[in-house]
Every structure is written in C-alpha cells, then in structure tokens.
Amino acid sequence: MLLAFELTGEHDTLPKAEVLACLNALCIVYDTIMFLKGILVIDAQIRPETLAVLANRLGMTHRIYEVNGMSEPKEDAILAMVKNTDVYKCMEKGSTFAVRVPKNSSYPEKQALIAQVGALIKGKGYNVNLSDPSNTFVLLLTEQTCFFCLLLHSTDKKRYGARKPQFRPFFSPGVILPKVARALVNLSGINENELFLDPFCGTGGLLLEAGMIGALVVGLDVQEQMVRGTAENLNFYGLTGALIVGDAAKIALRDNCIDAIATDMPYGRSSLIAQAGFRPSLERLFPDALAEIHRLLKPGGKAVVVSNFPYSRSLRHSFRVLETYVYRVHKSLNRYITVLKKV
Ligand SMILES: C[S@@+](CC[C@H](N)C(=O)[O-])C[C@H]1O[C@@H](n2cnc3c(N)ncnc32)[C@H](O)[C@@H]1O
C-alpha cells in the first residue's frame, strides 16, 4: 500500500527522518517512493493498529494518507485519474465525503478542481458532507505529481500546543518545544517498555515525550531543583521516572543498560554548574559525558545529542555518526542535532 505523509514545514529533512526512524523502530519494512516539498510517499504493508501507533508517535507530521492514484498535476490528467480510481474499495455504500487541497498548495484553480473531483465522486453514488464527512479525499500536488489520497490520520495540533513548556508546573527558559522534543525522542528509536535516558534532563521535556510513547524514563541533572521540577512535570502528565541528581560525566548505572538516549547539552557557561565535583568547563564536560553515554548504551543503541555547536570528530568515542541536522531556533541560536549509534 502507498502511504503519503504530509510533513510539517519547520525543517527540510527532520520530519522525514522522524517518520523513517519510527518505521524502523516499529520494524516496518518500507520503500521510499518520493520525498519532495513536505510530502513523503512510501510503499509498506502496515496493519491499521500499527499505523495508529505510528500516527500517535509522530511530532512533525500533519497527516497520513493512503494514496489511491497518481497523475501529472494537470486538470485533465487529474480528472481522468480520479475517474479511473476504484473509490468503492475504500468507501462504504451511502457514506459521505469531502474533497480538499492543502492550503499551502500552489495549484492555481484549487476550488474549481475540488468541485470537479467532487462531482466525479458524487457521480459514483456518494453524498458530499463538508462539515463531518466519513471520508476525506485530498489532492496532494507537487510540481511533478498529483497524489489522490484518502485521509487516514490527522495529528491533533492542540495536543502539542497544550503541552507547551509554560503550561507545565515547572518551567525554565530555553526548553525545546514538545513537537521538536518528540521528534528527537523518535530519532533515538526508543519503543514502548524500553529504557530511555536523558543525562541533562533539565525540566524533563524529552523525558515527557519518551514517557508518553510508553518508554521507561531515567533522567539526570546536576541541579537538584531541575530534578525536583522534572518529577513535578512528569507527575502532572500522569508519568513516573527514575530521577537522579548527579554529574552526566559519571553516572551510577551499569554498562550497556540503556536502550536509547536523547539529550540537550548545556548551551553556555550559565547552564554549567561549576560546583565542587562537577565539570567546570564545557570542553571537558562534553567528551566525558559522551564517553558515559557510550558506556551506558546497549550495543546498537542510538543517542541523539543536541548542542549549540557542530559535533566534532574528536568526540566520537567509537560512535558511528548516522545523521546530522542544523535546527535554527532564532537568529543567534542554532541547535545541532547528531544521531549517534553505538557500534
Ligand atoms: C539545555 S538544558 C536541558 C533542557 C532540557 N532538555 C529541558 O527540557 O528542560 C541543560 C541542562 O544540563 C544541566 N547540566 C549542566 N551541567 C551538568 C552536568 N555536569 N551533569 C548533568 N547535568 C548538567 C543543567 O542543569 C541544565 O538543566
């Protein structure tokens, strides 16, 4: 079955990487058919219940569709394709429908096209219902192709909005937004009931997202107030975790015990706690913390490391660098995201 993912526009490649990481984590075999301008099309056999789990996990996908037909993005070709598509296989007798074209599509005569496609489907014996249709057909248009799709899952935008850091009981500035935190957690390949660690947990933003997909979370921060705040935040969303006050360069956990890690390193000297026993400089903390991350990860496990400078070769510690991304937060802050694998 062909599936199309309509991706959010906050980054060129991260949303796609998140989808592929989740497919791999859920052991779904797929072929990438096309990736262009916020649309990813794959060929995969996915059971409806697994697709629902995938849809629920993704942070940077708006909608998931089944692709029922493809044509050139020209009116005549689109109408011929819709006419020849067997809509009966996906629509029950007497059910209703709506046809939509995404707002950001550059197709010139959207309304006219919607009306013509609507008339064709109506002619097959179905009724239009624009407010609460049982089936929503969407024409995803790129410069080369029109995909005639049936909507399967839609992300509830409010879900991430409602979890904004300022709405949590414990807040500290500079926290990653929930949608991005979810994508980072997904890049780590973590699954339900596996052990997830954030060794610089701060207010717990990454732990919350990992906990919400069913992972068992372990958080560590050098500041006791952060660890207490993380406990409050987890509790607020009905989650629990093992939380430790300590130094990320020396963690009291045994070797190879963690399935996946995602962490957002301290950005500047202000977030570094130069108290007795803790690393007084970022230059020393980073390699030491990475060595610890490497020691704790199970072989084959992934660590997603976020920092405000590009990951350096000298820090590799036998990790294989799988992916790197630059995520622009604002004019003077880039976040560098590196996906590492313990080999
Ligand atoms: C960028 S913040 C993490 C923000 C976090 N992702 C959140 O959701 O709030 C970095 C955190 O690293 C902590 N930190 C600094 N030095 C540390 C060390 N040596 N060991 C562990 N945590 C440390 C800081 O207290 C701070 O909370």
Side-chain angles (χ1 to χ4, degrees), residues 223-236:
Q223 297 189 70
E224 195 179 336
Q225 64 175 70
M226 292 292 179
V227 171
R228 273 210 230 103
T230 289
E232 262 184 77
N233 285 344
L234 286 173
N235 187 42
F236 185 71

Side-chain angles (χ1 to χ4, degrees), residues 165 168 170 172-176 181 198-207 220-224 226 230 233 244-250 262-268 270-274 277-279 282 285 289 306 335:
R168 297 174 194 156
F170 181 73
S172 174
V175 179
I176 295 180
D198 180 356
F200 295 93
C201 73
T203 63
L206 290 158
L207 297 180
L220 180 128
D221 201 285
V222 75
Q223 297 189 70
E224 195 179 336
M226 292 292 179
T230 289
N233 285 344
I244 309 162
V245 178
D247 184 359
K250 199 166 189 282
T263 198
D264 180 20
M265 298 271 201
Y267 287 112
S270 58
S271 62
L272 247 195
I273 307 307
F278 295 123
R279 300 294 176 283
L282 285 174
L285 176 63
V306 183
R335 282 190 166 119

